[in-house]
Amino acid sequence: AIIDRAVTVTSGNGTANVTVTVDDKGTIIEVDGKPAGLADLAAGQQVEVQYTPGTLIARSIEADSGGGADER
């Protein structure tokens, strides 16, 4: 789910949800290996998210055009 600047992802095994915040200046977003913005992400896309555990601010979000989700 994407709400405002927050992105919620579900782990690959479906057991955990993590909501991270996107920082306009610090979060790198790519879709299919190309630079993208938050508006280019969609619910159900397979993603890999790297974030700072203490703040839950996303450092990077890499998405594929297909479905599913994963957090790391």
Side-chain angles (χ1 to χ4, degrees):
I2 303 168
I3 300 172
D4 197 21
R5 310 262 7 119
V7 177
T8 300
V9 295
T10 303
S11 63
N13 62 11
T15 61
N17 289 336
V18 175
T19 300
V20 297
T21 301
V22 173
D23 177 351
D24 288 333
K25 296 178 183 166
T27 303
I28 298 168
I29 300 174
E30 293 183 349
V31 176
D32 295 330
K34 298 177 183 175
L38 187 58
D40 298 312
L41 300 177
Q45 279 183 305
Q46 181 172 341
V47 299
E48 181 176 308
V49 178
Q50 294 185 5
Y51 60 92
T52 304
T55 62
L56 296 180
I57 294 176
R59 293 188 304 270
S60 67
I61 301 174
E62 296 178 13
D64 292 327
S65 295
D70 188 25
E71 61 89 11
R72 179 170 90 150

